[in-house]
Amino acid sequence: MQTRVCAIGGSSCKFVVSGGAVPGRFKQAQVTPLIKHDGLDISNPANYRPISNLNTISKVIERLALARLRQHITQSPNFNTSQSAYRRHHSTETALLRILNDIYGKIDEGQSTLLVALDLSAAFDTVEHSVLLARLENSFGIHGSTLTWIKSYLTDRTQFVHFGTANSAVTNCSCGVPQGSVLGPLLFIAYISSTANIAEYFAVSHHQYADDTQVYVAVSPTNINTSVSNLHNCLTALHLWFSQNGLVINPDKSEAVLFSTAQRARIAPLAVNQVDVAGCPVPLSGSVKILGVTLDQHLTFSEHVQNVCKSSNYQTRALRHIRSSLTKDMARTVACALVNTRFDYCNSVLYHTTESNIAKLQRAQNALARVVTNTRRTEHIRPVLEDLHWLPINYRIDYKLAILTYKIRATCSPAYLKPFIRDYVPSRQLRSSSMQLIMTEATKTEIARRSFSQAASSVWNCLPYEIRTAETFERFRTSLRTHLYRIAFNN
């Protein structure tokens, strides 16, 4: 017997689960004894936020199975290579870098990009077991005892809701993958891998991070009708596929945006005001939030920087209230965990952003450093950052880009970023042939210099030779940080 804990209306509610943890999918008839609490309709599934408490032995066994299944599934030709979730060397940052690189490339070619971010309702909870097992067998070649084991893993799970002294009726879980489990995420991304074929059929670019799906096309005044038509046809086909596979697109939470430069949008505006998603019109917005990063229509990142500064300053003020109770080392640890991680999250997309944005982030970091070290505002901040060994914001961006470039060169992963990291090979034998430089492509516009293909080569080629040729990642990371630290503080 296992328990799921849920917060409802400020109170604690337990989901008691037998046969393993299962998704929190409940029907109103199953919780009729628990209709109201503090004015909240707790029979509504949207009000449940369950947390699975899984058996430790079960997780150990799942991890052993994952070690065998992951490589087999992800290396299959039927697996979606544009899926970035739950894969080594893949992250939300690499996914965003690929999407933005495509957008910057189209802008450099004189085109805009129409992007739709799709939202799926309770995606993990609505996976049909029979369809999943059939897909594992037919698309990924899993059969025999392995498939039987996975079927046993998914089936015979039951659940009921326990609240106070009342219990709902026990019900079987006929769908969904166990959230919080080890195998659940891999099974889910294998389940939805077929969506890549739909996007490719309609010549629409796409990228996924778990159930977060982005589809986008290049548009210009000469091809706007064809491009928008392909996008609408693709969205219709995706809606049909999701419906046939037990998944539902939520048009209310789906977003659409047209990326372009401010000058191009002013001189040659495109006649696109909305996009049809699941039969509902979704109007174009000025920005869209993808994987925690706010992308505005002109890619200035001003709104994203403002959001980062707002959340960082909130945490800094909270730290200030308890600073007197902490030692310097403790305060530094808390600051790195709660605030510096916000500065570093997907900061590689801010390469060559405006000086105003960098200044805002730097002021937020300076305020945090003053709180950690109890430094007054009248004192110069540079010695404070140097004492904390905190790189300034612009150097943190270069650090992240160099780290990503090294990993891609060493592992050739993620595959969708590897084509942008090409070794420089001169037309004739030169001394630079053995310098391990990266090819730099020419661009027509200034904004295209912010793409990953340009940023990676610019940062990498400026590194000293002994850092570029580091044999191990640990040595590269240490040498890189020391190098940037010396430049930042002129040591």
Side-chain angles (χ1 to χ4, degrees):
M1 188 76 69
Q2 298 180 354
T3 304
R4 312 188 81 189
V5 182
C6 172
I8 300 181
S11 299
S12 176
C13 173
K14 291 185 178 180
F15 296 82
V16 182
V17 181
S18 62
V22 294
R25 185 181 183 184
F26 306 96
K27 297 179 180 179
Q28 183 170 346
Q30 298 164 358
V31 289
T32 50
L34 312 172
I35 298 300
K36 292 286 186 179
H37 178 71
D38 293 340
L40 178 65
D41 181 9
I42 63 175
S43 64
N44 184 358
N47 293 328
Y48 291 95
R49 284 290 184 267
I51 301 173
S52 300
N53 295 325
L54 300 178
N55 187 284
T56 302
I57 298 300
S58 174
K59 281 194 171 184
V60 172
I61 297 175
E62 288 183 55
R63 191 161 294 280
L64 293 175
L66 178 67
R68 299 291 186 90
L69 288 172
R70 178 165 52 191
Q71 184 176 7
H72 179 81
I73 291 177
T74 56
Q75 292 184 356
S76 169
N78 293 322
F79 184 78
N80 181 13
T81 56
S82 295
Q83 171 66 258
S84 294
Y86 318 119
R87 301 176 63 191
R88 291 180 179 178
H89 310 299
H90 295 69
S91 64
T92 56
E93 189 159 16
T94 60
L96 283 166
L97 286 173
R98 174 59 203 235
I99 294 172
L100 287 171
N101 196 91
D102 292 343
I103 295 174
Y104 287 131
K106 294 305 178 182
I107 290 178
D108 199 47
E109 296 174 3
Q111 302 182 80
S112 302
T113 300
L114 179 60
L115 180 144
V116 179
L118 299 176
D119 179 83
L120 301 181
S121 299
F124 282 76
D125 298 344
T126 56
V127 173
E128 297 289 344
H129 292 167
S130 59
V131 178
L132 172 59
L133 294 172
R135 189 153 296 144
L136 291 175
E137 182 177 13
N138 299 328
S139 298
F140 298 101
I142 298 176
H143 48 77
S145 58
T146 304
L147 188 66
T148 303
W149 184 88
I150 296 175
K151 180 179 180 181
S152 175
Y153 168 80
L154 293 171
T155 56
D156 295 330
R157 295 179 181 271
T158 60
Q159 66 185 8
F160 67 91
V161 181
H162 172 76
F163 184 77
T165 59
N167 294 332
S168 70
V170 177
T171 181
N172 292 322
C173 294
S174 59
C175 61
V177 293
Q179 295 194 47
S181 64
V182 177
L183 276 179
L186 178 65
L187 295 177
F188 178 79
I189 61 177
Y191 185 78
I192 63 171
S193 285
S194 301
T195 56
N197 299 330
I198 298 175
E200 292 174 1
Y201 177 81
F202 290 100
V204 173
S205 301
H206 79 288
H207 206 99
Q208 288 182 318
Y209 192 90
D211 60 323
D212 290 331
T213 304
Q214 291 78 40
V215 291
Y216 50 99
V217 293
V219 293
S220 65
T222 59
N223 70 351
I224 182 171
N225 293 331
T226 302
S227 297
V228 174
S229 177
N230 288 343
L231 180 61
H232 282 159
N233 292 335
C234 178
L235 292 172
T236 301
L238 285 173
H239 172 55
L240 179 61
W241 187 93
F242 284 131
S243 300
Q244 293 175 343
N245 288 269
L247 303 175
V248 179
I249 296 179
N250 187 352
D252 293 334
K253 293 186 178 180
S254 298
E255 299 177 285
V257 64
L258 181 65
F259 293 109
S260 179
T261 61
Q263 181 181 11
R264 187 172 299 158
R266 184 176 61 255
I267 296 176
L270 298 175
V272 182
N273 298 319
Q274 64 182 28
V275 177
D276 292 331
V277 177
C280 299
V282 176
L284 298 188
S285 59
S287 62
V288 60
K289 193 169 187 179
I290 300 177
L291 304 177
V293 176
T294 303
L295 306 179
D296 58 275
Q297 60 183 341
H298 301 315
L299 296 174
T300 64
F301 289 98
S302 297
E303 185 176 351
H304 173 68
V305 169
Q306 183 178 357
N307 293 337
V308 172
C309 291
K310 183 178 179 180
S311 61
S312 300
N313 290 334
Y314 174 83
Q315 298 294 340
T316 300
R317 289 192 296 269
L319 178 60
R320 183 182 291 113
H321 292 318
I322 63 172
R323 177 62 184 88
S324 58
S325 303
L326 304 175
T327 64
K328 181 179 177 180
D329 289 340
M330 293 173 60
R332 179 182 176 183
T333 301
V334 172
C336 291
L338 296 182
V339 186
N340 274 343
T341 52
R342 300 175 188 271
F343 297 138
D344 292 337
Y345 178 71
C346 292
N347 61 342
S348 59
V349 303
L350 298 178
Y351 182 78
H352 262 312
T353 189
T354 61
E355 295 182 1
S356 174
N357 285 338
I358 296 297
K360 290 178 182 178
L361 292 171
Q362 190 60 59
R363 284 194 294 269
Q365 187 190 44
N366 294 347
L368 177 65
R370 295 184 191 279
V371 170
V372 171
T373 59
N374 284 323
T375 303
R376 293 174 294 182
R377 296 188 62 180
T378 55
E379 299 182 30
H380 201 280
I381 194 60
R382 180 175 171 180
V384 178
L385 295 176
E386 185 176 4
D387 178 63
L388 291 172
H389 288 264
W390 286 0
L391 288 173
I393 295 298
N394 53 339
Y395 292 99
R396 297 175 89 97
I397 296 173
D398 291 348
Y399 176 82
K400 178 68 71 64
L401 283 167
I403 290 292
L404 288 172
T405 303
Y406 183 90
K407 288 182 176 179
I408 294 172
R409 285 170 54 88
T411 65
C412 297
S413 184
Y416 52 75
L417 289 182
K418 176 59 179 175
F420 307 132
I421 307 297
R422 295 183 297 167
D423 292 338
Y424 171 70
V425 180
S427 56
R428 54 192 179 90
Q429 190 65 25
L430 300 172
R431 285 185 297 176
S432 58
S433 303
S434 60
M435 296 297 288
Q436 295 195 20
L437 300 175
I438 294 178
M439 181 77 70
T440 301
E441 300 289 344
T443 60
K444 303 175 184 177
T445 59
E446 182 68 21
I447 192 173
R449 294 181 56 197
R450 295 159 54 184
S451 64
F452 176 73
S453 58
Q454 294 291 317
S457 61
S458 297
V459 172
W460 181 264
N461 293 343
C462 291
L463 296 178
Y465 174 77
E466 58 273 13
I467 296 180
R468 293 198 303 269
T469 56
E471 296 180 355
T472 64
F473 174 70
E474 290 299 327
R475 179 176 297 180
F476 172 80
R477 183 173 62 177
T478 302
S479 301
L480 173 64
R481 189 170 184 85
T482 302
H483 170 69
L484 295 178
Y485 182 85
R486 289 175 178 173
I487 296 177
F489 300 107
N490 295 325
N491 289 335

